[in-house]
Structure formats: C-alpha cells, structure tokens
Amino acid sequence: MTESETIAYDVVVLGAGPVGENVADRTRAAGLSTALVESERVGGECSYWACMPSKALLRPVVARAEARRVPGLGQAVRGPLDAAAVLARRDEYASHWHDDGQVAWVESIGADLYRGHGRLAGERSVTVTAADGTVTTLTARHAVAVCTGTRARLPELPGLDDVGPWTSREATSAQEVPGRLLVVGGGVVAAEMATVFQALGSRVTVLVRGTGLLPRMEPFAGELVAEALTEAGVDIRTGTSVTSVGRENGTVVAVTDAGDRLEADEILFATGRAPRTDDIGLETVGLEPGSWLTVDDTLRVDGTDWLYACGDVNHRALLTHQGKYQARIAGDVIGARAAGRALPPSDPWGPHTATADHHAVPQVVFTDPEAASVGLSLAEAERAGHRVRAVDVDLTSVAGAQLYGDGYRGRARMVVDLDEGILRGVTFVGPGVGELLHSATVAVAGRVPVDRLWHAVPSFPTISEVWLRLLEAYRG
C-alpha cells in the first residue's frame, strides 16, 4: 500500500452513480470544488444493471404485446422475439458496460474523479484506495455526501452459496436466455424480469411469499399484472417460501415450504435491497457499518453538520429519479450553507427541502400492463389519518384506451382528501399508462384542488381522458 498526498476539496462525494453525479453537478454549479469517488463504473447501478438495461429489455416485449392488440398489425408480429437482437440492444443501452461517456460528463462539469474504494476516515475526511494499492486522502471543507446506493439482499438459505443465484444484476446483464427460470419475490424486479424472460422464451415460475405481486401499490395493480403474466404462461405461486436450494448436475433445485421440488436452469432472487454502507468507514464517525443513514429533509445525516446521504442509502425512496431529486436538493443546500446563507424556515415545498419523499413519490412498473402510481395508496392514506375517498374508473370507459388496442384492460384510482379537497394519491394500471403519471405527480405535488382539476380539460380521444372520468365519478 502506497500513501499519496492529501488533497482538499469543498465537497467529496462517495459514489458516482446518478445520485452522486447530481450532487456534484449542483455543488459545482454553486462554485464549490468537488471530488467524486467511484469503486466500479461511473453511472452506477442504474446505468449498467438496473433502469437502463431492464427497460431496454422490456421495451420490445411491451411493444410486441401492444402491436398484437391492433387489428391489421397483430398478424405481422405473431412470431417470437429475436432474443439475440433484444440482448444486443440492451448491451447498447448499458454502454457495453463501459463508462467513458459518463467520465467525460464528470470532466465537463469540472469535478475530479477518483477511482477506488472510498472510506470515511473521520470527520470531513475520505481515503481512496486505488486498484494498485495507492491511498489518497481527500478532505472536505464543507461536506461529504454518501451516495453509495444499495445491493441485492439475498436470504440465508441452505445451499445458496453453491447455486450461483441471479440477482437483478445477473438478470439484466444475462447473455443467454435460460430455458427455465425461477423468480423468488413479488416486487418490481420480480414482475419485470418475469415479463422479460417469459417473452424471450423462458418457462418462468414466480414464487411469492405474500399474497400477490407489487405489494406496495394498490391491490388491483398487482392483480392485473399477475393476471396478464399468468395468461402469458407464467406460473405464479403465492404464499410460497423457498426453504432450500441446490444444484444437481447443473440444474437448480428449489424446495418450498409446501414440500414442492422445483427445477430450473437459473434462479433469480428479487428479495429486497441492502445499503452499501458496510465498508465505507461509518464507524470512524460514530455510525453503524451496514446501516441505513437517517437524514433530515435537507438530506443531512442526523447528528452531524457536514455529512449528507442521498438516494437509496437513506431508505426514503429507493428509486433513481427520487435519489436524483434528493441529490439536487442536497447539492443546493450544501452550496447555500457553504456561502453562509441561512435556509428559509418552514418552507416545506421550497428549494432546500425534500418534501416529495413523503407525499409525492412516483413510480412506473414497466410490465404489460404497466402500473404507475404517485403519492399514497388508499390504505396508506387511511393509516396516516386522512379522511379520504377512493374513486375508481375502468379505463375501458375511455375512448383513447379502446383505440389503443382491442381487449384493453386497465383501471385508475384517485385518493381524494375530503377535508383539504386535494389528491393524496393516484394509480393507473393499463398499457401505456406510464406516460400519464407525470400529470398525476403534478396534481399531487402541487396540491392542486380537485375543483381546479375540473378545468384541466383532457384532449379527446386520449387515454388521459381518464381524468375526466375520475372527476365525473367523484362529483356524481
């Protein structure tokens, strides 16, 4: 191990994924010298093993499904997908797992990139150990931001170490389509990857410990997605846990709590995420290694005046776009505090407060049908003590949905706060509804009165006319 000089910056960012990049972008815009530290690829999980490759895999699957619903076009797309072409396009959108373009962007904003394993080494200090063993110490005059994200969490199961299980990384970067795939889990990764691999030719079985898919959304979302997957040929088994796994002559064997013995070529565990904080030196500043980092709404870690945590590591909303939102706010906060400007008090929707994390988190699940939601579900709103009413509409009542494709199935719900006259949450399920979601996000985040939404006239004939149907149902 070779020690090098100590270098001082205004801000040091641990993790150069999209969240860390956004912190750096805002601190550089504030005129602060900034160092970015990355142990893998600049661009992070989202660029190479999550958002971009998964959506590249899903797009041809969904496009074919939608084309098949259109008379005059359906017969032209009856054949199988070209799996090799789908995987090749995925490779392009993952930049063939090279980060040259992202590195060029870092250089373009004037931030300095350090490759290696970064660890806190006490207050406002970070050591970076490069591949050749050289250690560089970076000090921060104003702030250190932890943006190290999460990794897939694997269960403790007998035989797991010998199986070579897939996580989301292996699934999104797979170079071959397995003949048989077991998917363990019922969340977004499980639903999306089941959609992909079934369409590419795998025989897919999904094992869900709970009662259904997508448990964090309105119940009907998971029900409609599960119904479509089942019709496509996926075997979904709810209330099922895996008790042991192994490989026999190359074949994965999983045993369930019901005593069933299931065989597959690969097994994907989509069973949650764990913070990448186990080896970043948290113990040197009095925090617990491997823990989620608790922050206030300015993204500053509780109990400190210099340490920030943005994105998955703070466990507020494990979504790339939400982490980038936090990063933009944290970067502006760091810039303001470095300049000695007091942050305005009691301004929950101001530029220095991550209020949307609590009230207006949007998410799209890119299955067929898509599921999209923002804000609180009915159950969440009721648990929070709001007096609310759910308004449901079948999307087939909208001319735009009928034109979108024969046999269109979908549903929409808005959760109305009866005391404040605003929307607490909105959920859409159906083909193409992901592009509707930002209108709902604006309504929820903007606390737009329901009475004012009556004057936001949707174009005919678009699927967005569902807003009119929802408001008509609400008014009676």
Side-chain angles (χ1 to χ4, degrees):
M1 185 178 294
T2 305
E3 193 76 31
S4 67
E5 78 273 23
T6 297
I7 306 173
Y9 288 89
D10 292 321
V11 180
V12 178
V13 181
L14 269 179
V19 176
E21 289 176 322
N22 272 264
V23 173
D25 190 38
R26 298 312 303 157
T27 57
R28 287 296 301 133
L32 301 178
S33 61
T34 302
L36 270 168
V37 181
E38 178 54 50
S39 61
E40 290 189 284
R41 292 173 179 81
V42 178
E45 197 83 9
C46 175
S47 298
Y48 308 105
W49 300 287
C51 315
M52 293 303 290
S54 67
K55 296 339 169 245
L57 289 169
L58 283 156
R59 180 59 197 145
V61 174
V62 173
R64 182 183 66 162
E66 293 182 348
R68 285 178 169 178
R69 299 186 185 106
V70 181
L73 180 59
Q75 287 301 117
V77 289
R78 284 296 165 192
L81 289 168
D82 183 339
V86 172
L87 297 179
R89 184 172 186 265
R90 180 276 319 273
D91 292 351
E92 292 180 15
Y93 277 89
S95 301
H96 296 275
W97 292 274
H98 295 298
D99 63 1
D100 301 9
Q102 303 266 11
V103 171
W105 179 86
V106 171
E107 294 171 350
S108 76
I109 66 168
D112 291 341
L113 174 64
Y114 291 83
R115 290 190 181 274
H117 182 69
R119 300 185 85 256
L120 292 166
E123 185 171 322
R124 292 184 172 85
S125 181
V126 172
T127 60
V128 184
T129 304
D132 64 2
T134 301
V135 178
T136 303
T137 299
L138 308 175
T139 60
R141 298 182 188 92
H142 297 293
V144 174
V146 178
C147 308
T148 49
T150 55
R151 61 168 58 87
R153 184 177 65 228
L154 288 169
E156 294 183 4
L157 280 178
L160 187 62
D161 292 342
D162 301 323
V163 169
W166 278 12
T167 66
S168 54
R169 280 198 171 197
E170 288 76 21
T172 57
S173 62
Q175 295 300 313
E176 295 182 356
V177 177
R180 299 164 297 174
L181 177 66
L182 282 176
V183 179
V184 182
V188 176
V189 171
E192 290 188 344
M193 291 301 99
T195 299
V196 166
F197 284 100
Q198 183 280 325
L200 291 179
S202 296
R203 191 164 75 247
V204 178
T205 301
V206 180
L207 306 179
V208 186
R209 184 171 58 183
T211 58
L213 299 181
L214 307 179
R216 296 184 181 277
M217 300 182 103
E218 297 282 10
F220 65 82
E223 291 166 6
L224 286 170
V225 171
E227 181 180 306
L229 282 171
T230 300
E231 289 178 1
V234 175
D235 180 5
I236 301 176
R237 306 187 186 189
T238 58
T240 301
S241 296
V242 176
T243 57
S244 67
V245 292
R247 275 199 188 266
E248 299 177 7
N249 299 318
T251 297
V252 175
V253 177
V255 178
T256 72
D257 52 355
D260 294 329
R261 175 187 166 95
L262 304 174
E263 296 186 354
D265 299 293
E266 300 292 349
I267 184 168
L268 163 62
F269 282 91
T271 48
R273 308 291 296 179
R276 289 180 177 270
T277 60
D278 52 313
D279 190 21
I280 62 167
L282 291 183
E283 68 280 1
T284 70
V285 295
L287 297 171
E288 183 182 350
S291 65
W292 303 100
L293 297 178
T294 304
V295 298
D296 62 19
D297 280 347
T298 69
L299 289 312
R300 190 162 61 181
V301 175
D302 288 357
T304 76
D305 62 0
W306 60 274
L307 186 63
Y308 293 75
C310 303
D312 286 8
V313 291
N314 63 36
H315 209 231
R316 286 163 69 104
L318 276 65
L319 296 159
T320 296
H321 48 270
Q322 211 66 23
K324 291 165 70 173
Y325 158 77
Q326 295 170 12
R328 293 190 294 270
I329 287 173
D332 289 345
V333 165
I334 292 167
R337 286 174 171 156
R341 296 195 302 271
L343 303 186
S346 303
D347 189 6
W349 293 101
H352 301 113
T353 308
T355 302
D357 286 347
H358 308 301
H359 302 291
V361 175
Q363 181 174 22
V364 179
V365 184
F366 292 84
T367 45
D368 175 41
E370 291 177 344
S373 67
V374 63
L376 303 179
S377 67
L378 174 62
E380 288 169 338
E382 290 175 338
R383 283 198 298 270
H386 301 297
R387 192 170 69 91
V388 292
R389 173 187 164 195
V391 181
D392 292 333
V393 166
D394 188 326
L395 271 167
T396 59
S397 66
V398 177
Q402 297 169 23
L403 288 166
Y404 199 86
D406 289 358
Y408 191 104
R409 284 179 289 182
R411 186 172 168 185
R413 167 176 287 180
M414 66 179 189
V415 179
V416 183
D417 187 309
L418 298 174
D419 294 318
E420 297 193 42
I422 60 173
L423 302 184
R424 289 291 176 184
V426 181
T427 299
F428 304 113
V429 183
V433 299
E435 296 300 335
L436 291 179
L437 186 61
H438 195 59
S439 59
T441 303
V442 170
V444 173
R447 298 173 62 85
V448 179
V450 174
D451 288 345
R452 179 61 62 85
L453 286 174
W454 186 251
H455 299 282
V457 182
S459 297
F460 179 84
T462 65
I463 300 177
S464 63
E465 204 178 14
V466 67
W467 281 107
L468 178 56
R469 300 284 91 83
L470 285 165
L471 292 165
E472 287 172 336
Y474 176 66
R475 299 184 96 181

